[in-house]
Amino acid sequence: MTTRIDTRFAELAKQGRPAFVTFLMAGDPDPATSLEIIKALPKSGADVIEIGMPFTDPMADGPSIQAAGLRALKAGMTLKKTLELVRGFRKDDNATPIVLMGYYNPIYIYGVDKFLVDAKSAGVDGLIIVDLPPEEDDELCLPALKAGLNFIRLATPTTDDKRLPAVLANTSGFVYYVSITGITGAAAADSTAVSEAVARIKRHTRLPVCVGFGIRTPETARAIASHANGAVVGTALVDALKNSLDAEGRATARTVNAVAELTAALAQGVKGAQQAAE
Amino acid sequence: MNIAKPNSYRSGPDERGHFGIFGGRFVAETLMPLILELEKAYSEAKADPAFQAEMNGYLKNYVGRPSPLYFAERLTEHLGGAKIYLKREELNHTGSHKVNNVLGQIMLARRMGKKRIIAETGAGQHGVATATLCARFGLECVVYMGAVDVERQQPNVIRMEMLGAKVMPVQSGTRTLKDAMNEALRDWVTNVHNTFYCIGTVAGPHPYPALVRDFQSIIGNETKAQMQEIEGRLPDSLIACIGGGSNAMGLFHPFLDDPAVEIFGVEAAGHGLTQLHAASIAGGRPGVLHGNRTYLLMDADGQIQDAHSISAGLDYPGIGPEHSWLHEVGRVTYLSATDDEALAAFQLLSKLEGIIPALEPAHAIAKVVELAPKRPRDHLMVVNLSGRGDKDVPQVGDILRGKK
Ligand SMILES: Cc1ncc(COP(=O)(O)O)c(C=O)c1O
């Protein structure tokens, strides 16, 4: 199978530039504004869009993304509405890959088989599920691959050479390298360590490797992206969104632009990077 | 329920950490290598007689075991039915059963060369036990505690600080035990290289539910031997309260394959099962949180719901996975007691036996009050008195004087 993710990374490889991957929470600060924001991302330079599925207990996320999830839940977001959001986005964009990222419980409760059918038909291309390591592949990873969705795995600084093959075995689309041991929103890793880690992963796989956690500025994005096939930015975008809200946490006239502008600046940074040697 | 009865109720979990469909290892990749390392370290330690011998020495001389099995004569007379025995875990050093497990985990941490210990705590008893053993072995200790619990369990917060631990009040979510666990997991992901996560109950990713159960099984093993000595036979029923379920599992596990022994777990019914409560088996369904699949309180979208219990140690929207399995196979019966029932039982035991129980085991006592009168006088009932009530004295005092 070839997904929009595979196609996009192949195009980028041809152009010799790394991908800029954005992360925002579905339904933050409300479902309608969230759709407007996501629609604005490709025009602002996002190559791949990750959309967070809100969850009450995001154990690998820092305060910014925790708060984003709670804003979305308060605004009535559900997994079903997250899929509707993707469907809404797909009305005018059939090329930009969409990856849903989050925790397993809402999917388990929705029903794995029904979720995979609905996600595929809504236009989702891949899944990143933080609390499903390879030891739990039977739960969702293998069914997702069968359903034609990519299952993108996180590799981390603790994933050593011995463990990497197990982590990569059923991974598809791309590999997401978490540059630090830590939660989202923590400090960035230095680019030398990242470049060594990416090189190490590339000895085990031909998949593109994107790097995330702790990238906040166009400069860091450039530095990191020059050692990888892509850079992921989440917390900084979520913070820009939050800073545009009014005192009650509601969207203002500035909200969509605030996210779009930072996206454009970060995209500039990533595009300034040299593609990592294959 | 249509679930085949296993040959033994004591053989779980399987090698992937499953008790039936429950359990597992639902954690971030960052933690997975360490969890595998812990599993290996634990199976090596289990097989090492020196480890057992060292632990037994501390259990005897530092914790003060065995804890007595005490015939509660006046409670028995008052209720007029079953003969009630209290397993006196509240007499352990630090005042609860939590220390049994902490000792085991700290010894494992030492074996693994980890110098920094983190823990989550609700009532503060697990936090106090962890702070205590960290002081004893010279380890750095950080305890995560929901801000609501910091408020209602002040005596334990002060104790932890005196013992040299750093108490981190957790402001996220409902600011109770579940959020303390989230925060501890976030710390662990960040400091995985030097940190050992000392989990306080039979929950979390495999191997924690099995390992904590094994360390707590001393409660049931002693009970079996003590009852044999006192009455010359097995007890007829066992009762324990359930937060995550570690004091209950410790008492129950050695008796699971004795079919004549009736077993009751007591969840916290808070304001009542139709209102805010913490009874995940009575009011929840299987889901995935904090590293395992188990019964959880949640809404139709799979979002975790707020639990409520008067007792900080039971105020958790989940339960250990082995309990979920024992419920589904029907080996253990899960009941629940409300805040008001627990408060009444707290006072009853204080006045009749001169033992002020913690609010957590007061929930178990509340069900003894209900069950014992219906049993004959030769029925032997054991209740796990998992902790003492000192920590609850200010809170209950305020309630009884009408202040809260
Ligand atoms: C005295 C006491 N009993 C019981 C519990 C509940 O935990 P578990 O169900 O793991 O025994 C606690 C937890 O804080 C406690 O302090």
Side-chain angles (χ1 to χ4, degrees):
Chain A
M1 94 199 161
T2 305
T3 64
R4 291 183 193 89
I5 298 174
D6 304 323
T7 309
R8 175 59 48 98
F9 276 100
E11 286 163 10
L12 291 171
K14 238 184 263 161
Q15 296 167 28
R17 69 174 182 88
F20 176 42
V21 184
T22 57
F23 171 93
L24 285 147
M25 186 63 73
D28 179 23
D30 62 78
T33 310
S34 180
L35 178 58
E36 289 314 304
I37 292 172
I38 304 228
K39 280 182 171 173
L41 294 173
K43 283 173 266 180
S44 312
D47 298 304
V48 176
I49 296 176
E50 288 178 12
I51 301 180
M53 298 175 279
F55 183 48
T56 39
D57 295 80
M59 61 178 184
D61 285 302
S64 293
I65 293 179
Q66 289 172 39
L70 294 181
R71 282 195 296 272
L73 290 172
K74 208 170 140 215
M77 208 58 190
T78 60
L79 185 50
K80 189 153 170 267
K81 288 185 185 163
T82 298
L83 296 177
E84 280 162 22
L85 181 79
V86 175
R87 206 179 284 279
F89 173 86
R90 278 279 170 254
K91 281 192 186 135
D92 353 281
D93 187 326
N94 199 27
T96 308
I98 297 270
V99 176
L100 295 185
M101 179 162 183
Y103 298 82
Y104 184 40
N105 196 52
I107 294 174
Y108 178 65
I109 294 307
Y110 190 100
V112 165
D113 295 338
K114 180 169 171 342
F115 170 77
L116 291 172
V117 170
D118 293 356
K120 182 84 190 166
S121 88
V124 172
D125 303 290
L127 302 173
I128 302 176
I129 309 299
V130 177
D131 53 353
L132 286 177
E135 282 73 8
E136 302 291 350
D137 269 358
D138 297 343
E139 295 282 338
L140 181 65
C141 172
L142 299 178
L145 295 178
K146 236 189 242 160
L149 290 170
N150 287 134
F151 200 84
I152 294 137
R153 193 98 58 188
L154 304 174
T156 72
T158 59
T159 315
D160 59 17
D161 278 320
K162 206 169 106 234
R163 185 167 165 78
L164 257 177
V167 168
L168 295 170
N170 295 315
T171 302
S172 63
F174 61 96
V175 179
Y176 186 143
Y177 180 65
V178 176
S179 64
I180 48 158
T181 59
I183 54 178
T184 53
D190 72 271
S191 58
T192 321
V194 167
S195 112
E196 283 165 12
V198 171
R200 183 165 71 83
I201 295 170
K202 285 197 166 285
R203 285 199 289 275
H204 293 266
T205 182
R206 301 179 63 84
L207 288 171
V209 179
C210 297
V211 177
F213 279 45
I215 305 175
R216 299 191 64 92
T217 63
E219 294 70 39
T220 332
R222 172 183 297 130
I224 297 283
S226 62
H227 300 295
N229 304 105
V232 189
V233 178
T235 298
L237 292 168
V238 168
D239 286 345
L241 185 160
K242 180 187 160 254
N243 291 337
S244 76
L245 303 177
D246 70 13
E248 274 79 55
R250 289 173 306 210
T252 64
R254 291 185 298 121
T255 299
V256 176
N257 272 343
V259 178
E261 279 162 23
L262 181 58
T263 303
L266 289 160
Q268 255 347 88
V270 173
K271 273 153 207 175
Q274 295 286 342
Q275 174 69 73
E278 284 298 316
Chain B
M1 218 146 285
N2 259 338
I3 289 170
K5 300 280 177 256
N7 294 327
S8 166
Y9 292 101
R10 305 186 60 210
S11 55
D14 67 18
E15 68 287 352
R16 294 170 62 202
H18 293 144
F19 305 92
I21 67 160
F22 301 102
R25 287 177 286 212
F26 297 88
V27 295
E29 170 60 23
T30 312
L31 297 179
M32 212 42 233
L34 190 69
I35 280 172
L36 295 172
E37 193 194 324
L38 173 64
E39 189 182 350
K40 188 162 160 272
Y42 178 53
S43 56
E44 284 167 10
K46 249 199 315 199
D48 178 358
F51 181 83
Q52 280 304 335
E54 192 185 357
M55 199 157 78
N56 290 341
Y58 288 114
L59 283 168
K60 178 161 182 272
N61 299 313
Y62 191 72
V63 176
R65 301 204 71 93
S67 71
L69 184 66
Y70 163 75
F71 171 44
E73 195 174 352
R74 293 197 68 215
L75 182 64
T76 298
E77 270 169 28
H78 176 80
L79 296 174
K83 197 168 177 186
I84 300 156
Y85 281 88
L86 306 179
K87 180 61 175 162
R88 304 284 306 270
E89 290 298 304
E90 101 282 10
L91 293 177
N92 295 335
H93 181 41
T94 73
S96 81
H97 70 291
K98 296 286 182 188
V99 70
N100 305 328
N101 161 50
V102 173
L103 173 65
Q105 288 199 47
I106 294 299
M107 289 190 43
L108 267 181
R110 278 158 52 84
R111 260 178 102 93
M112 293 171 75
K114 303 282 182 187
K115 297 265 187 303
R116 179 175 180 270
I117 308 295
I118 58 169
E120 85 295 335
T121 197
Q125 288 302 110
H126 175 61
V128 166
T130 307
T132 297
L133 283 155
C134 286
R136 170 60 186 80
F137 290 108
L139 301 166
E140 181 187 349
C141 180
V142 178
V143 179
Y144 290 91
M145 187 170 189
V148 168
D149 296 336
V150 167
E151 175 69 26
R152 61 178 161 174
Q153 305 274 269
Q154 264 300 313
N156 276 344
V157 175
I158 298 167
R159 283 168 85 194
M160 287 185 269
E161 287 172 349
M162 284 180 175
L163 291 160
K166 193 160 166 202
V167 179
M168 308 286 285
V170 175
Q171 300 289 355
S172 60
T174 53
R175 301 181 295 146
T176 57
L177 184 51
K178 132 183 124 77
D179 310 288
M181 191 138 183
N182 287 334
E183 219 47 48
L185 284 163
R186 289 179 188 125
D187 178 311
W188 201 22
V189 167
T190 307
N191 300 299
V192 63
H193 296 295
N194 68 346
T195 298
F196 185 97
Y197 182 12
C198 182
I199 295 188
T201 191
V202 284
H206 176 65
Y208 280 100
L211 167 164
V212 177
R213 172 200 69 199
D214 294 349
F215 291 138
Q216 289 293 3
S217 289
I218 190 163
I219 302 173
N221 287 328
E222 283 178 8
T223 300
K224 220 173 198 182
Q226 289 165 322
M227 193 59 103
Q228 187 63 40
E229 196 180 307
I230 304 168
E231 298 274 0
R233 64 181 183 89
L234 287 172
D236 297 296
S237 60
L238 308 173
I239 302 189
C241 69
I242 297 197
S246 67
N247 86 86
M249 192 59 71
L251 176 64
F252 299 170
H253 198 260
F255 292 97
L256 290 175
D257 286 335
D258 296 307
V261 181
E262 269 185 294
I263 307 182
F264 300 96
V266 183
E267 298 188 292
H271 298 315
L273 291 180
T274 54
Q275 300 174 51
L276 272 181
H277 64 83
S280 17
I281 286 198
R285 61 211 160 101
V288 174
L289 180 71
H290 292 156
N292 59 119
R293 182 179 359 248
T294 194
Y295 273 74
L296 297 171
L297 299 179
M298 58 187 148
D299 70 12
D301 190 43
Q303 305 298 335
I304 307 305
Q305 280 175 327
D306 299 359
H308 164 79
S309 169
I310 188 173
S311 133
L314 308 184
D315 200 344
Y316 179 70
I319 183 169
E322 193 167 8
H323 284 291
S324 292
W325 178 74
L326 289 169
H327 164 67
E328 291 218 331
V329 296
R331 176 63 186 99
V332 176
T333 304
Y334 292 86
L335 309 169
S336 60
T338 63
D339 288 353
D340 290 346
E341 290 173 315
L343 265 178
F346 178 96
Q347 296 169 76
L348 185 73
L349 195 72
S350 303
K351 300 228 164 91
L352 284 180
E353 296 289 350
I355 297 172
I356 300 177
L359 279 171
E360 290 80 16
H363 287 72
I365 304 288
K367 292 296 113 166
V368 169
V369 169
E370 219 174 273
L371 294 170
K374 297 179 196 151
R375 300 289 190 277
R377 283 176 184 275
D378 62 354
H379 179 105
L380 305 177
M381 184 175 276
V382 176
V383 49
N384 197 359
L385 199 62
S386 56
R388 64 178 188 232
D390 306 38
K391 69 184 175 63
D392 300 312
V393 164
Q395 186 194 358
V396 175
D398 281 352
I399 294 170
L400 297 181
R401 275 182 269 128
K403 279 211 218 145
K404 274 187 187 165

